[in-house]
Amino acid sequence: MSGAGLPQPAADWAYFLDVDGTLLEHAATPDAVRVDADMRALLAALQARAGGALALISGRAVADIDALFAPLRLPVAGQHGVERRDAAGQVHRHAFPQEPVRRAARRIGAFAAAHPGLVFEDKGYNLALHYRLAPELATEACAVVEGAAAELGEGFELQRGKMVLELKPGGRDKGTAIEEFMAEPPFRGRTPVFVGDDLTDEFGFGVVNRMGGVSVKVGDGGSAARWRLADAAAVRAWLGACAAHRARHGA
Ligand SMILES: [Mg+2]
C-alpha cells in the first residue's frame, strides 16, 4: 500500500511528520534507529517542493532529532511540543519547573537500572520509560511512572505510547506544536498534512482535521485520522510520490 485512496498531493501542502514508527520503523531501543541517505534526500526534496513548509513532530528531544538527521536541520518540534525550532531557526522552549522533574527522573531511572531490559530516556522535560525489551514488566513499570506522575501533580501528565510510558508537561502536545507552526511562515496559509503512528499523534490529527487538512495514521488501531498507510515503507513511498508530483507540476 503506497497511498491508494489518499488525496492528490497539492502545491499548498505543509508537511508535519512524526519520526519513530512513521519515517523510521521502531527499533528495539530509541538509540538503535538509523536514518539512511535516501530518507535525508527525500525530506530535503519534499521540504524544497513545499516552499520550506516541512517539520518533524516528535517525542524525541530536538538535539536528538538533529543528531539523527544530520546534516539536515529541519524545522522540528521535540518532546511533544515542549521545544520547537521554527523555520527561521529560532528555538522556542516552554518553561517548566525543573527540580520536581529531576526527582521523578531519579526515581524512574533507579527503577530502570534495577530491571534489565527497561530503557530510561531522560529528555529534560519528558521522561520516557521503554519496556519493548521487557514487556513482562509493563504493569510494574506503569505503577512506578504513575507514582512519579502523582508526585509531580498538576501540570504534568502520563502519556502512553507503543511500549513506552512518558511523563510530560500538560498543555503541550503534538497538536499545539502544529498549531504554532501553522501560525508562522512558511506554513501559514497552507493546508496541513500530518502523518503519525501512535496515540500521541492523535492530538495532531485532531488539530489537522479541524483545519481541514490531511491526517494520515500509520498502521493499525483506532484513530481520528482520515487516511491510513500501512507502515514506514508505505510512508516513504507516498512521500516520494508527493515530492515527485510537485516536481512534475512545479511549485
Ligand atoms: Mg511515532
Side-chain angles (χ1 to χ4, degrees):
M1 174 171 163
S2 62
L6 273 82
Q8 281 289 307
D12 79 331
W13 279 7
Y15 294 88
F16 299 100
L17 307 170
D18 170 53
V19 175
D20 295 85
T22 297
L23 295 180
L24 314 172
E25 290 293 354
H26 283 288
T29 67
D31 290 345
V33 302
R34 293 290 176 267
V35 178
D36 59 57
D38 286 351
M39 176 56 73
R40 285 189 187 83
L42 169 58
L43 293 175
L46 197 57
Q47 185 192 29
R49 296 298 173 199
L54 180 149
L56 302 178
I57 309 290
S58 180
R60 289 179 185 262
V62 167
D64 187 15
I65 293 287
D66 282 347
L68 266 178
F69 288 87
L72 275 185
R73 264 174 78 85
L74 297 164
V76 54
Q79 304 198 52
H80 302 284
V82 175
E83 52 176 2
R84 192 172 68 87
R85 182 175 59 230
D86 65 26
Q90 187 171 346
V91 176
H92 308 260
R93 285 199 177 82
H94 295 276
F96 296 92
Q98 264 293 310
E99 181 43 37
V101 182
R102 292 301 95 212
R103 273 201 305 279
R106 287 192 288 276
R107 176 173 175 172
I108 300 170
F111 174 74
H115 294 83
L118 294 181
V119 176
F120 176 53
E121 193 185 5
D122 182 351
K123 296 182 274 192
Y125 290 120
N126 275 61
L127 307 175
L129 184 58
H130 299 263
Y131 55 92
R132 186 171 292 270
L133 297 176
E136 71 281 5
L137 291 172
T139 305
E140 210 178 334
C142 192
V144 169
V145 179
E146 276 175 354
E151 199 170 291
L152 277 171
E154 270 183 44
F156 282 81
E157 60 195 30
L158 170 60
Q159 187 164 271
R160 289 159 211 275
K162 289 179 178 168
M163 310 300 260
V164 61
L165 300 154
E166 288 197 75
L167 265 181
K168 60 180 280 292
R172 319 305 316 176
D173 55 51
K174 290 184 170 186
T176 62
I178 291 172
E179 284 175 330
E180 287 170 352
F181 278 118
M182 287 299 292
E184 301 166 348
F187 300 91
R188 191 166 54 212
R190 287 179 170 266
T191 299
V193 177
F194 178 48
V195 191
D197 74 302
D198 210 340
L199 288 175
T200 61
D201 298 312
E202 294 298 321
F203 296 105
F205 296 144
V207 163
V208 165
N209 288 345
R210 282 197 295 280
M211 291 180 166
V214 178
S215 50
V216 185
K217 161 84 172 174
V218 182
D220 298 331
S223 176
R226 293 186 173 139
W227 287 275
R228 202 171 284 260
L229 286 166
D231 52 24
V235 172
R236 185 187 287 242
W238 183 61
L239 293 179
C242 290
H245 181 92
R246 298 290 312 280
R248 274 200 309 277
H249 290 74

